[in-house]
Amino acid sequence: MTILHLGHQPADLGGIEPALMSTDPAGFDADLDVNAVKFTGGRSHSSAFSLAFPPPAGDLWLQVRLRAPDTSSADFYYKDVSVLAFRDASGNTVAELRGRKSTPTIFARASGDTVTDGANGIDKGTGTVHWINVRVAVGADITIELHDGAGLMSSATAANTAGKGKPVSAVFGNTNMHSHFGDATWYYAHIAVLDGTPTIGRRFARQVPGMAGAHSQWAGTLAALGDGNIATRMSSDTAGQRQSATLAGPAGPSGAAIAAVHIKAVAQAGTSGPGSLAGFLRIGGVDHDASAAALSSAVPEQVIFSWPQNPGDGAVWTDATLPAEIGLLSAP
């Protein structure tokens, strides 16, 4: 499984400020996280936000939990709107989820040589929770599929002889989300983007560093690694230094199958010193390192390290064998 993006925190998304984060349990799955992105506004509300990711090698899959606006007349969009647009490296829109003014429906649109709209769609509903899963395939044709949970609700295909590229960003239009004259409230959470692996049926539980672990060689405070603020950091100026921590927060539904354990960091190389980063798991007093990833010195970037099996014994993960600590290793 190749992960291109994980998360809905302000550090994960462009256009989201800390003030938009809410702990209202209506907005998120408490088995997976502790907050959601919350919007409240009238029918002309407009607050687009976005995420960027590397181009996928295979089909792109995106998942997001959307809780629709909560007013009785919020079923309908105020105008025809772009709910979610996928764009290539040249800024071309290759596929979209659209909202119809005349019905409370979210449907698929492929934007190749011509624009093709899919039939049917998701009935947005009032205060309804949708686990939206979207597949976008770009080649000689552009195909988009919209799933509500596991159900295929709308799909569209358009020829792509003009050669539009694979998506590298997704923009949530978040505009005119309802037709009600007064304010309504809606939420986004649990955003994931995978390369070639369906998001249907998958969930990602987000934990953050808790207490200091066996290694404390980096400068700064451990709280900086879990506060979601890029401006607060820990740092290492010498290759081979380790920083580890126990974990706090939701661990996912008890007894559910665990496909993998991932460490996500937002990191940046300095102008001198170590230029790479590796994640590691500490199990039974032993550190298990992932391959190091080179970092940019220009801007912070998301880096993800993954373990599909327990590196201690090669077995599948269970609730009982999850690592006691996770950590980061500065590398040359």
Side-chain angles (χ1 to χ4, degrees), residues 1 59 61-63 133 135 194-202:
M1 181 196 310
D59 296 349
W61 283 84
L62 180 145
Q63 179 180 89
N133 296 283
R135 181 178 77 93
L194 305 184
D195 182 352
T197 301
T199 53
I200 294 171
R202 295 185 183 274

Side-chain angles (χ1 to χ4, degrees), residues 74-98:
D75 300 37
F76 295 86
Y77 288 98
Y78 177 46
K79 297 179 179 179
D80 292 346
V81 296
S82 176
V83 176
L84 175 60
F86 296 90
R87 295 176 180 166
D88 68 10
S90 297
N92 300 307
T93 297
V94 298
E96 282 184 283
L97 301 184
R98 302 280 303 179

Side-chain angles (χ1 to χ4, degrees), residues 124-136:
K124 186 169 52 125
T126 300
T128 305
V129 171
H130 301 282
W131 279 93
I132 292 174
N133 296 283
V134 187
R135 181 178 77 93
V136 179

Side-chain angles (χ1 to χ4, degrees), residues 32-48:
L32 307 177
D33 215 317
V34 297
N35 60 19
V37 183
K38 177 181 179 180
F39 290 95
T40 299
R43 67 184 188 179
S44 296
H45 179 98
S46 181
S47 296

Side-chain angles (χ1 to χ4, degrees), residues 132-232:
I132 292 174
N133 296 283
V134 187
R135 181 178 77 93
V136 179
V138 177
D141 295 321
I142 295 173
T143 295
I144 176 172
E145 295 178 350
L146 167 60
H147 302 258
D148 192 3
L152 177 61
M153 308 304 291
S154 182
S155 64
T157 297
N160 186 32
T161 60
K164 288 184 176 181
K166 294 194 174 188
V168 296
S169 67
V171 180
F172 289 82
N174 201 41
T175 298
N176 302 128
M177 289 291 290
H178 62 91
S179 62
H180 185 62
F181 282 99
D183 286 352
T185 298
W186 61 101
Y187 306 81
Y188 301 90
H190 313 303
I191 300 174
V193 181
L194 305 184
D195 182 352
T197 301
T199 53
I200 294 171
R202 295 185 183 274
R203 300 289 187 266
F204 296 88
R206 183 179 71 96
Q207 295 184 298
V208 297
M211 305 295 291
H215 303 288
S216 297
Q217 296 177 316
W218 286 31
T221 62
L222 192 62
L225 296 185
D227 65 3
N229 184 352
I230 293 179
T232 59

Side-chain angles (χ1 to χ4, degrees), residues 237-307:
D237 60 5
T238 304
Q241 290 184 329
R242 294 180 182 270
Q243 181 66 50
S244 66
T246 61
L247 289 168
S254 177
I258 302 172
V261 170
H262 314 281
I263 294 177
K264 186 190 79 173
V266 178
Q268 181 178 3
T271 55
S272 62
S276 298
L277 180 72
F280 67 90
L281 306 181
R282 188 167 176 82
I283 302 171
V286 178
D287 299 325
H288 298 273
D289 299 345
S291 298
L295 300 176
S296 167
S297 61
V299 293
E301 58 188 332
Q302 181 175 263
V303 186
I304 298 175
F305 306 98
S306 299
W307 290 264

